[in-house]
């Protein structure tokens, strides 16, 4: 009998994207998609390089994950050191200092002038599920209120919390119950309702159809991500915060995509002075390693019985080391200011495109989290086909960008916060040419 070989004939030579794509077709489940068919070999700063040496300007950052850039030096060194010490003990079995240190950092950084506690998990969806668990346990209530266009994950509960059917929910039900959806403040599409009026509309539905006394948590993205980078009207979030406090409802901010300097402050809630009871965190937290967290009021977090929170890999020591280095890098480089600077440059260029192209209904976002919504000229009818064509033109020219939105008609931009001015302007030149 021949000994098994660790590499196929094709993989023993320098791979090509075409060859890797063929191998993928016979090895990877079809349900796992990718934006481009080129395969990455290395990345740093604001660029990716594929296995054939082609360079891509990165306006995706792993969906807002590599905010400090790929292979950030401090993160690489921290991970290398930790791997040499130990890779896993499970914090629930044999704890270690770095888990505690990450929680201390999150308690200090997240908005809220009150005592806090944190718990670490693996993914954004897991953080959201645990936030719901904590809110239900602490209040003794069952219902969770979410919003139109929301995205909170791909697990059963977070699919129930998510608004969009394709590709996230289609034929994966039945979903978890006691989830209630109300209208989001979406200024482009709700007639320009002011924030207070839009919040009153949502609250009235909750009180009439659910009953405030039955609601454990109100869960909202301060700026919606997959739903289309929807920025609610000023006053919407503060009004909801005020109602939740009066009703004894736990206000949960899903800062998974907006957090860690992305919008020009450490967290998007800070732009309107909103202090959530609980915050869910992931993506940009650990420089590309899988880590997530729930941080919030000590009395809520500590309401759960010992053993009620956790998970085998939650707060893995390698991911914790990466998170500590990531947070320090963000401080040292003042990446919140970098996000504001990126936003100023990008918004000016995008507004110039919008001024001459009637397909752009709106430029929106904050900091280095910006988007354009594409419609049929002269209407608000979503145009997902043109959106896809624009994204494809960018990809063909070497710019990695993403689409999103309930209607599939939003181009979104999430460059690493360490992207150079040259990379940023070259990427915007490609985008400008795609519209042309």
């Amino acid at each position: 009998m021949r000994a098994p070989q660790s590499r196929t004939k094709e993989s023993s030579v320098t791979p090509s994207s075409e060859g890797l794509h063929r191998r993928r077709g016979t090895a990877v489940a079809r349900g796992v998609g990718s934006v481009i068919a080129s395969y990455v070999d290395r990345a740093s700063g604001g660029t990716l390089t594929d296995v054939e040496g082609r360079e891509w300007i990165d306006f995706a950052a792993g969906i807002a994950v590599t905010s400090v850039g790929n292979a950030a030096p401090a993160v690489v060194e921290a991970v290398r050191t930790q791997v040499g010490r130990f890779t896993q003990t499970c914090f629930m079995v044999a704890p270690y200092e770095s888990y505690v240190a990450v929680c201390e950092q999150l308690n200090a950084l997240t908005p809220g002038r009150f005592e806090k506690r944190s718990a670490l998990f693996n993914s954004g969806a897991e953080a959201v599920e645990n936030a719901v668990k904590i809110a239900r346990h602490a209040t003794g209530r069952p219902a969770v209120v979410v919003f139109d266009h929301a995205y909170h994950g791909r697990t059963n509960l977070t699919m129930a919390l998510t608004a969009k059917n394709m590709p996230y929910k289609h034929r994966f039900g039945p979903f978890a119950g006691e989830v209630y959806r109300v209208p989001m403040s979406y200024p482009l599409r709700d007639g320009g309702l002011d924030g207070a009026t839009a919040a009153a509309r949502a609250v009235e539905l909750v009180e009439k159809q659910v009953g405030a006394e039955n609601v454990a948590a109100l869960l909202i993205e301060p700026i919606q991500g997959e739903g289309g980078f929807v920025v609610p009207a000023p006053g919407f979030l503060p009004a909801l915060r005020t109602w939740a406090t009066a009703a004894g409802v736990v206000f949960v901010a899903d800062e998974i995509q907006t957090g860690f300097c992305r919008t020009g402050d450490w967290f998007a809630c800070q732009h309107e002075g909103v202090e959530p009871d609980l915050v869910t965190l992931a993506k940009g937290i650990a420089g590309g390693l899988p880590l997530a967290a729930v941080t919030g009021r000590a009395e809520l977090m500590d309401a759960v019985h010992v053993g009620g929170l956790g998970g085998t890999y939650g707060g893995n020591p390698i991911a914790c080391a990466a998170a500590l280095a990531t947070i320090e890098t963000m401080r040292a480089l003042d990446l919140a200011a970098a996000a504001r600077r990126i936003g100023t440059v990008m918004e000016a260029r995008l507004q110039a495109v919008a001024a001459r192209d009637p397909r752009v209904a709106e430029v929106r976002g904050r900091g280095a989290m910006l988007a354009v919504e594409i419609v049929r000229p002269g209407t608000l009818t979503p145009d997902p086909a043109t959106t896809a064509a624009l994204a494809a033109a960018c990809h063909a020219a070497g710019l990695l960008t993403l689409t999103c939105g309930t209607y599939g008609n939003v181009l979104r931009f999430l460059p690493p916060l360490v992207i150079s001015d040259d990379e940023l302007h070259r990427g915007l030149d490609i985008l400008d040419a795609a519209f042309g």
Side-chain angles (χ1 to χ4, degrees), residues 72-84 317-318 320-326:
V75 176
V76 170
E77 184 57 34
V79 167
R80 183 181 289 119
T81 299
Q82 181 58 50
V83 167
I318 301 169
C320 284
L324 293 170
T326 295

Side-chain angles (χ1 to χ4, degrees), residues 121-155:
F121 306 100
N122 300 295
S123 68
E126 194 176 345
V128 170
E129 291 225 2
N130 277 278
V132 171
K133 286 166 54 179
I134 292 163
R136 283 174 167 167
H137 196 285
T139 63
R141 301 172 177 181
V144 181
V145 173
V146 291
F147 290 82
D148 288 338
H149 313 291
Y151 176 84
H152 297 292
R154 293 174 180 262
T155 59

Side-chain angles (χ1 to χ4, degrees), residues 12 15 41 43 101 103 111-112 122 143 159 174 179 191 216 233 248 253 263 274 308 320 325 346 389 396 418 426 435:
S12 66
D41 177 63
C103 292
N122 300 295
M159 282 190 293
V179 173
T263 64
V274 172
C320 284
M346 291 192 74
V418 296
R426 284 194 290 127
F435 275 93

